[in-house]
Amino acid sequence: MTSASRLRQAARRCELGALEQLSAACGIVIDTGRLIHALQKERGCSAIYLASEGRRFAADRSERIADSQSAELAVRRRLTELAELPEQTAQGARLLRRGAEVWQALDALETVRGAVATRRMTPDDATRDYNSLIGGLLGLVFEAADGGGDTRITLALVALFHLLKGKELAGQERACGAHGFTAGGFNATHRRLLGRLLEAQTRCFATFLEFASPEARTCWEAALPESDLAPIQRLREIAGAAPVDAAAAGVSDPAQLGELWFALTTRRIDAMHRVEAFLGEELASLCAERLAAARQALAAPPCDTGPSALDPLLGDTVAATPGGIDGQATAEALASPLNRSLLELVRSQTDRLQGLGNELANTRKALRERKLVERAKGVIMANQAMSEEQAYRYMRKTAMDQSRSMADLSRAILDLADLLPSRQPARHGPGD
């Protein structure tokens, strides 16, 4: 084996090592998603348990803790396996540092559980502690998504990260709503929080849909039909009113609203978890495919060109006519392997710069179109009395039905904005 072949093999081993590390990171992402899902349920049960002064969800909370502990073991095992890989890239080092922080936060979780069990903390304090832990776990997912070296795997990781982030915001909404409904009402702070959580969810899910594969988008549409959102939206409206009207939700006992809200939002989050599982399988398949290709390349016999590999390069250089460079000599020089390599290098650099320019132009176009969509969404909200999420879903469905892009539909809505009668109630000044 020549030195060049040994270098090629070494490069292949490095590539394989990087892919194995990326695959390990993807495994961490998948298991971390399962742990986040379990902790979200535990957080919601804890909020109701504390708000009801221990009268509700005690047994459910114990079951959720057992699920969380099982998922936690899987994440710890993944982090240990990552630490044992022989060579780490800079991205692997960042991931391990984040993993160490998560490990310590998980160690401290038992203290929080003990305080909840003995009701030595408020529902808001418990929710804040769970939010902090889940935020750290999302940071672990982000670190893996930020360092993906394979384009398809990176796109899948980015989509999965935004789905997990949106689902976590939905989980925080569930916990906040469960606390307020169980306690019999929402203060102004909680109502503002519910509004912010809903807006942030809409942004996260929009980004998820931008990066997700067509198959993942189809899975999302099937798992979360718009009809399932109507009862949750009704409870959101009830939460925004003061006082809370239990009869408007068809419930005689106001205390039951907490469990109704928890059941409905849990069903929605479970549907998101099914989409998350689909993305996890998609991600695992991509990693397995890339690893198999890398191992096959490493196992293939090296392609040696032999000791005379430079002979054609030298021959072309020496063969040039000693006199003035005429057309034939120039043609021979340009046809030589050495000059072809230089030309290919220049061409590849030009293509790369062109690609960067195209990417920048596409980014600017995407930002302009997103601003159009936001403005059009505001028009729909104002004229159709819809929430932000409803307006976005309405626009997306209309665009699909008409085979139009969201940008084209937004332009049409803005063109007609002045002709649409507003359904918002008129605002009166203090002297009216």
Side-chain angles (χ1 to χ4, degrees), residues 121-142:
M121 63 191 329
T122 67
D124 283 341
D125 288 341
T127 299
R128 186 186 61 246
D129 286 346
Y130 277 104
N131 289 355
S132 177
L133 172 58
I134 293 173
L137 291 167
L138 284 171
L140 193 65
V141 174
F142 175 80

Side-chain angles (χ1 to χ4, degrees), residues 46-365:
S46 299
I48 292 181
Y49 174 81
L50 289 170
S52 66
E53 297 182 348
R55 291 188 296 270
R56 296 177 182 271
F57 274 35
D60 297 82
R61 179 175 168 274
S62 297
E63 291 176 8
R64 299 290 78 81
I65 288 174
D67 292 341
S68 297
Q69 289 171 333
S70 175
E72 177 187 332
L73 287 175
V75 171
R76 290 184 187 268
R77 189 160 50 244
R78 290 281 193 181
L79 289 171
T80 301
E81 290 171 359
L82 177 66
E84 291 173 353
L85 287 177
E87 295 180 5
Q88 294 290 344
T89 63
Q91 185 264 340
R94 291 194 302 272
L95 194 59
L96 286 170
R97 279 194 291 270
R98 180 73 73 169
E101 295 170 4
V102 166
W103 195 289
Q104 289 180 316
L106 288 171
D107 286 344
L109 180 57
E110 284 306 314
T111 302
V112 176
R113 286 171 175 155
V116 172
T118 55
R119 304 203 304 279
R120 286 183 285 110
M121 63 191 329
T122 67
D124 283 341
D125 288 341
T127 299
R128 186 186 61 246
D129 286 346
Y130 277 104
N131 289 355
S132 177
L133 172 58
I134 293 173
L137 291 167
L138 284 171
L140 193 65
V141 174
F142 175 80
E143 209 64 72
D146 190 44
D150 181 275
T151 302
R152 292 172 64 197
I153 292 175
T154 298
L155 288 174
L157 280 168
V158 170
L160 181 54
F161 169 73
H162 282 90
L163 175 63
L164 287 172
K165 186 178 177 183
K167 189 164 77 72
E168 162 56 11
L169 292 165
Q172 290 186 25
E173 183 190 21
R174 174 176 61 184
C176 181
H179 171 206
F181 281 124
T182 303
F186 296 82
N187 58 32
T189 300
H190 284 132
R191 284 195 292 271
R192 285 195 298 270
L193 176 59
L194 286 173
R196 290 198 301 270
L197 289 171
L198 180 56
E199 292 175 5
Q201 283 176 65
T202 303
R203 290 193 296 270
C204 282
F205 294 139
T207 305
F208 152 70
L209 289 169
E210 286 179 13
F211 285 92
S213 67
E215 295 80 9
R217 288 195 292 270
T218 299
C219 179
W220 171 268
E221 295 288 348
L224 290 108
E226 191 168 352
S227 57
D228 286 357
L229 189 60
I232 295 176
Q233 183 58 32
R234 182 63 187 137
L235 286 174
R236 285 170 175 161
E237 293 168 359
I238 293 172
V244 168
D245 183 6
V251 176
S252 57
D253 181 5
Q256 292 178 346
L257 280 177
E259 293 185 22
L260 176 61
W261 165 265
F262 189 81
L264 290 172
T265 51
T266 295
R267 185 171 66 184
R268 178 172 178 252
I269 292 172
D270 284 346
M272 294 176 194
H273 187 56
R274 291 195 293 274
V275 181
E276 176 192 327
F278 179 90
L279 286 176
E281 291 173 4
E282 192 175 60
L283 186 59
S285 176
L286 284 172
C287 288
E289 178 185 322
R290 292 289 288 113
L291 273 173
R295 286 173 179 144
Q296 184 178 0
L298 185 62
C303 180
D304 286 339
T305 54
S308 59
L310 287 178
D311 287 351
L313 299 179
L314 297 174
D316 275 349
T317 305
V318 175
T321 53
I325 301 179
D326 58 14
Q328 180 62 32
T330 302
E332 289 175 353
L334 290 173
S336 75
L338 178 60
N339 283 299
R340 282 202 305 273
S341 297
L342 292 173
L343 287 171
E344 287 168 3
L345 175 61
V346 172
R347 188 180 298 114
S348 68
Q349 293 284 14
T350 302
D351 290 344
R352 181 173 179 273
L353 290 174
Q354 181 64 43
L356 290 173
N358 291 340
E359 184 177 344
L360 181 59
N362 290 335
T363 301
R364 287 172 175 164
K365 180 183 176 184

